[in-house]
Amino acid sequence: MSRNNGMDRRQMLKLAGLSAAGLGLTAAGCGSGGSGSSGGTVTIRHSWWGADDRAKKVQQCVALFEKKHPKIKVKTDFQQYPDFWKKFNTQAAGGNAPDVIQNAVTFLRKYEAKNVLLDLHPQVEKGNLSLDGFRSGLEKFAEVDGKLLGVPVGSNSMALVIDERVYEKAGIAPEIGWTWDDWYAGLQKIKNGQKIAGDAGPHGVMYLYDLILRQNGKAFFTEDGMGFGETELLPYWTEALERVKSGVYADPKKVEQIKPASATAKGLSAGEFTWDNFSVRYSAEGKSSYGLAPIPSTDGKKTGQYLGSLMLSGTARTKHPAEVATFIGFMTHDPAVARIMGYDRGVPATTAQFEAYQPTDAPSKAIAAYESAIAGAGILEPITPHPAGADVIEAAFLRISADLSLGKASPKDSVKQFFSEAKTALASN
Amino acid sequence: MTHIQTSPGALAPGDDRAADKRNGPAGAAPPAGPKGPGSRENLAGYLFMSPWIAGFLFLIAGPMVFSLYLSFTEYNLFEAPRWIGLQNFTDMFADPRWRQSVKVTSWYVLIGTPVKLAAALAVAMLLAQKRWGQSFYRAAFYAPSLIGASVSAAIVWRALFSDDALVDRTQKVFGVEVGGWIGDPGVIIYALIALTVWQFGAPMVIFLAGLKQVPRELYEAAEVDGAGRWRRFFHITLPMISPVLFFNVLLETIHSFQIFGSAYIVSNGSCGPADATLVYTCYLYEQGFVNSRMGFASAMGWLLLVAVGLVTAVLFWSQKRWVHYEEGGR
């Protein structure tokens, strides 16, 4: 064994330098955010949620945008819906949020309270973003406390997706003006006649319960809290559990296992309540033909419906608000974008885009017909932006109602648990 | 055979390396002047270690201290942490979902770990015997552990145990109608346990090594004395491999407490249905990253650390009673 296994000073210094450089590199790697400008070209980051199909379409739009605006580059990134918000939350907290994000009403107040979203009004005033030509009721869609926190890219509304073959066989033809009693009588007829559940079980769908509450003069949320109490929810969930047990609503164990596929598309139920633009996926997932039926009401008139929408928002810490506004403007106004995106994010929000895309496939045609019908019936109401914490509350509503269906908790305990979690969510967000 | 070293290589009093020991990280004064060869070696050592030390300080120790502080605060990532003392901990005990997560995790550890170790030992004993194609079998049984931690294995598992999938159909052949394990809150945890048991490769390899160390003569002598298969197992094999068994029990128990990926993916990110796969880390993750309650999540993390520490301490304490080391082998 050699005694002199040490190294000389020069070697040591080299090594020290190397390790210091290594650390420096790591640090630099952490710091680089990706958005910046070089040589007059500005790079902005855009992220959204969705599946591969939407990714391809967005990518096409971005390519077109970069061609028209050669000085702006757009870096894109996408995840599934729940993963998207986990990632965004962390990025935003670290001050490294993407410049433009896809957004929804549930998250407006949450991120407004945390100063994460960019007020687009100044950009409108500077002429970088136009608010002209939006379809009625959509231009001030994302205005919270006088700030414009987003611009809608499409509109959608709640609907009942039905398996048309099953409904036809049962001789049920839903029309605007039908009531909850009509709907429920139909479900029983389907169950008795064709031995399949009439509905997937609507009691966990927050947006539907919101409509039911609105039909009765309340709402799921007020601007800063809950718009209903245990006295409303307890009878609703008690009744739901009975319907699950009697088989009018689909077997929750089976519904759980086919996720993320939908129960109706997989033949577990004859229908389910969801957003009208989701109906496109049913034809892809299932073997039957699927249509849209109107929301039932209590009195045959008021459905409580409003236009919901996906929107694009800028983030407050962006270094390039003008470019962000330009990109959002392009995505909402350019007719070519509508021809690429179709009804993927709902019916286009501006008339220019609405007119540019004429659907040729049956599901999209059905969505167009459905939205025209509800707009024509004059039943649409304004939407209230949800309070901070609404996203957590929506998830709790869905989860606890599923526990209830699976027989893990009584309606009374479930309702108690829901309000306890809602309280925590409102307090900590 | 190892080479027996003579005086130049051996550690003798006055040798530099003995001096190194005295001149350890505690910072005692160097014995032979500041420029002695020992201190230079130390410096080189620290320089070599510096990336690791920096990584440890900035990526492990720092965040840990910060998370300890956070566990006494309410912190939603955006606003400054607000000191609330022990409230996160009291909230935790009052939270039925937290209690459910403790229940699920304990169940998983208590059932999964022993079954996994029993499977590992059983297969190790089979593979310890000389037979044709031995190396193939060893590789084949070890393989699931290599891919086991991956997302793909959990996805396959979800597909296998779903309604009308392979497991469900096989059951139906035997007249058992469960309708898939994934959607049934009473059964899904066993699908997770089956997944962990299936990944017994790592403890198996360690058992194999242990089994190889048991002297053949003991078995021969016992056989001559008329001891049967089971007697030989309980009176020779088990005591002789008890240190290895202890090691495996310790490692697998700690590992089981940290289960996350498989529960998250098999349940499709819901840790359900009906919170049936709500393992501790899953709830911690949900509180931290979905509900933005980082203070609460930190408190949960620290409680898990304490719990795992306690279990480890109990295991170490218990080894006096059942772990046999060879004379002087301690």
Side-chain angles (χ1 to χ4, degrees):
Chain A
M1 199 188 223
S2 142
R3 234 316 277 120
N4 188 14
N5 57 358
M7 52 177 137
D8 67 25
R9 187 162 303 158
R10 192 170 302 168
Q11 275 175 306
M12 218 150 68
L13 283 172
K14 261 190 201 163
L15 238 160
L18 269 180
S19 44
L23 281 172
L25 277 179
T26 325
C30 292
S32 78
S35 68
S37 52
S38 61
T41 307
V42 161
T43 302
I44 56 172
R45 286 152 62 216
H46 171 39
S47 64
W48 71 93
W49 68 84
D52 291 348
D53 188 39
R54 180 176 294 172
K56 281 181 202 143
K57 291 174 179 169
V58 172
Q59 214 57 53
Q60 278 179 28
C61 296
V62 164
L64 197 65
F65 174 77
E66 288 179 337
K67 217 169 150 189
K68 288 194 177 177
H69 301 269
K71 298 233 160 200
I72 309 174
K73 293 263 164 276
V74 182
K75 267 172 78 175
T76 55
D77 178 29
F78 75 100
Q79 281 87 31
Q80 296 289 328
Y81 178 78
D83 302 321
F84 174 86
W85 289 108
K86 281 171 207 162
K87 185 170 178 183
F88 178 73
N89 209 24
T90 319
Q91 284 178 325
N96 186 34
D99 303 276
V100 181
I101 58 159
Q102 183 172 302
N103 203 354
V105 69
T106 324
F107 300 89
L108 277 182
R109 279 188 189 274
K110 172 179 180 145
Y111 288 113
E112 162 57 9
K114 292 163 182 166
N115 293 320
V116 171
L117 300 176
L118 179 72
D119 181 6
L120 289 165
H121 270 318
Q123 297 303 320
V124 174
E125 281 155 24
K126 283 180 195 160
N128 292 326
L129 174 67
S130 163
L131 288 187
D132 297 335
F134 277 90
R135 288 165 50 223
S136 68
L138 287 171
E139 60 277 77
K140 295 205 166 179
F141 186 79
E143 209 169 72
V144 173
D145 303 336
K147 288 183 185 169
L148 185 65
L149 300 179
V151 176
V153 285
S155 70
N156 46 23
S157 190
M158 285 300 284
L160 172 64
V161 176
I162 55 167
D163 185 326
E164 288 179 323
R165 287 184 203 157
V166 178
Y167 264 70
E168 249 167 59
K169 207 171 160 192
I172 309 163
E175 279 169 13
I176 286 186
W178 72 330
T179 63
W180 289 107
D181 291 339
D182 298 336
W183 170 75
Y184 190 63
L187 300 191
Q188 280 180 316
K189 206 170 167 190
I190 288 167
K191 197 225 149 204
N192 296 337
Q194 301 175 56
K195 305 280 170 252
I196 91 160
D199 195 279
H203 47 291
V205 185
M206 180 192 86
Y207 286 99
L208 178 74
Y209 191 52
D210 187 25
L211 300 190
I212 295 173
L213 289 167
R214 281 164 169 261
Q215 291 176 8
N216 293 290
K218 302 215 162 197
F220 201 98
F221 292 117
T222 62
E223 281 189 5
D224 51 8
M226 308 301 294
F228 67 107
E230 296 189 11
T231 43
E232 279 89 21
L233 188 56
L234 184 60
Y236 183 58
W237 274 0
T238 309
E239 193 176 53
L241 184 59
E242 280 160 19
R243 291 173 176 184
V244 169
K245 281 183 184 160
S246 70
V248 176
Y249 290 172
D251 180 354
K253 279 187 197 171
K254 297 200 170 184
V255 173
E256 196 66 43
Q257 300 187 60
I258 51 131
K259 278 179 187 170
S262 67
T264 303
K266 290 291 169 197
L268 295 177
S269 69
E272 64 190 75
F273 290 93
T274 185
W275 294 104
D276 56 5
N277 65 317
F278 283 14
S279 67
V280 178
R281 64 180 262 214
Y282 286 73
S283 313
E285 273 175 15
K287 293 181 188 128
S288 191
S289 70
Y290 305 92
L292 293 171
I295 300 289
S297 66
T298 313
D299 59 2
K301 290 183 199 116
K302 188 179 161 73
T303 62
Q305 272 169 289
Y306 45 82
L307 287 183
S309 172
L310 293 181
M311 59 188 96
L312 292 179
S313 294
T315 53
R317 291 179 71 153
T318 179
K319 293 188 186 92
H320 313 289
E323 285 79 3
V324 161
T326 309
F327 179 65
I328 294 177
F330 172 81
M331 292 299 276
T332 42
H333 291 285
D334 198 299
V337 169
R339 284 191 284 269
I340 295 169
M341 296 301 294
Y343 285 177
D344 182 87
R345 301 203 260 209
V347 176
T350 52
T351 37
Q353 289 198 340
F354 181 74
E355 281 159 13
Y357 174 71
Q358 297 298 328
T360 49
D361 59 309
S364 297
K365 275 185 182 168
I367 297 169
Y370 179 74
E371 291 217 357
S372 317
I374 54 171
I379 48 179
L380 290 173
E381 298 175 15
I383 186 173
T384 41
H386 299 169
D391 55 326
V392 178
I393 294 172
E394 182 188 357
F397 193 72
L398 187 65
R399 190 191 69 245
I400 295 170
S401 71
D403 294 2
L404 169 88
S405 303
L406 287 160
K408 292 309 272 186
S410 69
K412 208 175 163 197
D413 290 343
S414 302
V415 170
K416 239 178 91 187
Q417 173 74 9
F418 170 71
F419 280 101
S420 146
E421 288 192 28
K423 202 174 141 200
T424 311
L426 288 170
S428 58
N429 268 276
Chain B
M1 292 304 284
T2 50
H3 173 67
I4 298 169
Q5 290 178 320
T6 44
S7 52
L11 200 62
D15 187 296
D16 265 5
R17 281 161 292 158
D20 274 355
K21 275 193 161 178
R22 292 192 302 273
N23 188 16
K35 295 272 176 200
S39 73
R40 223 170 56 200
E41 268 183 30
N42 270 356
L43 187 61
Y46 284 124
L47 275 174
F48 270 116
M49 280 165 70
S50 61
W52 185 87
I53 293 175
F56 174 76
L57 287 178
F58 291 111
L59 301 176
I60 298 176
M64 273 182 80
V65 173
F66 188 53
S67 111
L68 182 62
Y69 161 69
L70 286 182
S71 68
F72 300 104
T73 66
E74 191 183 289
Y75 178 48
N76 67 8
L77 282 172
F78 292 89
E79 285 141 318
R82 191 169 62 85
W83 187 268
I84 52 169
L86 289 172
Q87 202 191 319
N88 282 327
F89 294 91
T90 49
D91 281 357
M92 218 183 281
F93 289 103
D95 178 359
R97 293 193 78 206
W98 180 82
R99 292 198 298 266
Q100 167 73 4
S101 77
V102 171
K103 209 172 98 186
V104 172
T105 312
S106 311
W107 191 244
Y108 177 82
V109 173
L110 281 174
I111 307 287
T113 313
V115 179
K116 182 179 189 175
L117 290 177
L121 181 57
V123 176
M125 288 180 70
L126 284 175
L127 294 183
Q129 295 160 16
K130 279 215 170 76
R131 64 181 70 222
W132 187 79
Q134 193 190 39
S135 0
F136 168 76
Y137 286 118
R138 285 185 184 173
F141 279 109
Y142 186 66
S145 307
L146 288 176
I147 57 163
S150 76
V151 169
S152 56
I155 292 174
V156 170
W157 219 253
R158 182 176 162 80
L160 277 178
F161 283 88
S162 277
D163 187 26
D164 211 28
L166 192 67
V167 174
D168 192 30
R169 286 187 189 193
T170 314
Q171 281 176 166
K172 279 179 189 157
V173 172
F174 296 99
V176 185
E177 297 252 359
V178 178
W181 296 29
I182 304 296
D184 191 332
V187 194
I188 185 172
I189 186 76
Y190 297 105
L192 286 189
I193 289 173
L195 177 57
T196 182
V197 170
W198 180 64
Q199 297 161 9
F200 60 68
M204 179 196 78
V205 168
I206 296 168
F207 275 135
L208 254 177
L211 289 169
K212 290 274 170 201
Q213 300 297 314
V214 182
R216 298 288 104 196
E217 307 89 78
L218 291 179
Y219 290 112
E220 284 155 18
E223 221 164 321
V224 169
D225 288 343
R229 215 171 250 274
W230 289 107
R231 223 182 150 82
R232 290 199 303 263
F233 175 71
F234 281 109
H235 289 92
I236 300 173
T237 312
L238 266 192
M240 287 304 284
I241 64 161
S242 58
V244 171
L245 182 63
F246 172 69
F247 178 78
N248 271 338
V249 167
L250 194 68
L251 227 60
E252 290 303 324
T253 307
I254 294 174
H255 194 205
S256 295
F257 270 109
Q258 297 166 348
I259 174 193
F260 174 75
S262 55
Y264 188 77
I265 291 157
V266 170
S267 70
N268 198 28
S270 69
C271 309
D275 286 346
T277 54
L278 188 73
V279 294
Y280 198 85
T281 49
C282 222
Y283 192 46
L284 189 155
Y285 177 75
E286 192 185 311
Q287 288 291 351
F289 290 94
V290 183
N291 298 356
S292 304
R293 297 178 76 196
M294 279 295 168
F296 190 86
S298 295
M300 280 189 72
W302 276 92
L303 212 65
L304 179 65
L305 184 79
V306 170
V308 171
L310 276 178
V311 170
T312 310
V314 168
L315 282 174
F316 266 101
W317 167 81
S318 76
Q319 67 162 337
K320 277 177 249 153
R321 290 154 201 270
W322 62 277
V323 182
H324 307 277
Y325 291 97
E326 278 180 79
E327 280 303 292
R330 248 192 158 148

